[in-house]
């Protein structure tokens, strides 16, 4: 059984151009972890295209087990990306599920 790690963020900025820049940097940062963090089995990340009251950016990543998720989260490169994300978001939602 594998783990699907799903995280959504709401960006703090209300300026559309700044929000787009922050979303792009989050996406690029998370995508850069593929091939660097060996525990990532698949990773999809993107910005919301519908607008409205939706979450702004979502990550869907697959791992072998919760130990692999923990190693991913502790990885120094993930920590760098996470620091940037925390600096530009106002809210975070996460869920880990078996699939």
């Amino acid at each position: 059984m594998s783990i699907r790690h799903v995280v959504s963020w709401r960006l703090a900025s209300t300026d559309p151009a700044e929000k787009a820049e922050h979303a792009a940097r989050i996406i690029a940062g998370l995508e850069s972890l593929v091939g660097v963090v060996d525990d990532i089995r698949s990773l999809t990340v993107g910005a919301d295209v519908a607008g409205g009251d939706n979450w702004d950016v979502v990550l869907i990543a697959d791992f072998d087990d919760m130990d692999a998720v923990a190693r991913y989260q502790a990885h120094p490169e993930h920590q760098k990306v996470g620091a940037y994300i925390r600096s530009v978001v106002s809210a975070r939602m996460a869920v880990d599920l078996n699939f």
Side-chain angles (χ1 to χ4, degrees), residues 11-30:
L11 298 173
S13 177
T14 57
D15 176 72
E18 187 175 54
K19 281 179 83 164
E21 176 190 336
H22 292 173
R25 284 190 62 188
I26 290 170
I27 293 164
L30 291 167

Side-chain angles (χ1 to χ4, degrees), residues 53-93:
D53 195 31
N54 293 336
W55 293 85
D56 297 303
V57 180
V58 67
L59 165 74
I60 303 168
D62 295 335
F63 299 89
D64 289 339
D65 52 35
M66 286 304 298
D67 290 337
V69 174
R71 287 189 299 273
Y72 158 77
Q73 291 174 329
H75 193 284
E77 293 304 313
H78 177 269
Q79 289 292 314
K80 291 177 190 174
V81 174
Y84 174 74
I85 292 171
R86 285 187 298 278
S87 77
V88 298
V89 302
S90 62
R92 175 184 179 272
M93 178 285 304

Side-chain angles (χ1 to χ4, degrees), residues 22-45:
H22 292 173
R25 284 190 62 188
I26 290 170
I27 293 164
L30 291 167
E31 287 177 339
S32 76
L33 299 175
V34 176
V36 173
V37 181
D38 292 335
D39 288 295
I40 298 170
R41 296 295 162 243
S42 71
L43 183 144
T44 303
V45 61

